[in-house]
Amino acid sequence: MTASRSILKAVLSAAQAEGRGARVRRSIGRPELRNHDPFLMLDEFDVDKNGGFPDHPHRGFETVTYMLEGQFQHEDFAGHKGTIGPGDLQWMTAGRGIVHSEMPVKSQTRAHGLQLWINLPKEHKMCEPQYQELLDNEIPRATPVEGVVIKVIAGESHGIVSKVYTRTPTMYLDFKVAKNKSVVQSIPASYTGFIYMLKGTAYIGDNEFVGKAHHTLTFSEDGAETVKISTKDEDAHFVLIAGQPLNEPIVQHGPFVMNSQDEIYHTFEDYRGGKNGFERAKNWKSSIA
């Protein structure tokens, strides 16, 4: 049997304030996990009906919103508008420029989900914005053994392939594992990756590293092409996220991520001047914020 990747680091994601009246547990993006190339940030967000993330810009990366409970509305300056609910996915490529708002549906008591930021390679940073949206029932599942269900949000698992196109090669898998089960997941040798625990306890790798809720567990980068995950006396729910490192300079200033300080300077100039992708930002205000 091939060796499993092991866990290098476990970091607890403590809740913090973000946006307007929102609480997030930041995973990637914390001081201990500033960047995990190609991933810039992962937040587990929890927002009541009066909170949210009002109008704000992005450039140079992708935001992936995956709902766990409740409903979230989205509106951008190009007229794109929609709602995603439990189990639904929005994969937004900001590219050269997006200004948008993300707010909970007011009839909901809670909006709970994950938002992942994926860096774009230099050649795609100024691409045209794009959306890929999938309802829960449009996301394929793998069931390698009884009691293990894997939603294949991006990439591949046990022969099941996602329809999501990833400019930065990425796998994003949602695991629900019943107690006393074991599963082995393949990961390309060159990928970096991590597990973010949502619920329960999982045992990862040949040495059964213990992963508990709200912890980020980063994988070893030893060329191993599988990771073994088991449960014992309780169920577990977690996401496994991995991708091809870009190995490019990262210069981030809030919602803008480029390759140099000079590019960041020009991004601010474009945003303030309403040009080079931000033409529609002038005088735009969302109707949902």
Side-chain angles (χ1 to χ4, degrees), residues 39 154-157 169-173 185-188 191 240-243:
F39 306 109
E156 181 177 353
S157 179
T170 301
M171 60 191 304
Y172 189 155
L173 309 174
Q185 174 62 46
S186 296
I187 301 177
Y191 279 21
L240 185 159
I241 297 171

Side-chain angles (χ1 to χ4, degrees), residues 58-60 77 94-99 125 127 129 276-278 280:
H58 293 295
R59 174 181 276 181
F77 68 177
R96 65 201 302 255
I98 280 280
V99 179
K125 283 192 176 293
C127 70
N276 294 327
F278 289 111
R280 289 173 289 204

Side-chain angles (χ1 to χ4, degrees), residues 88-109:
D88 297 347
L89 171 75
Q90 183 197 73
W91 196 292
M92 184 185 84
T93 303
R96 65 201 302 255
I98 280 280
V99 179
H100 72 162
S101 182
E102 301 161 289
M103 305 295 289
V105 173
K106 296 301 183 186
S107 61
Q108 304 291 303
T109 56

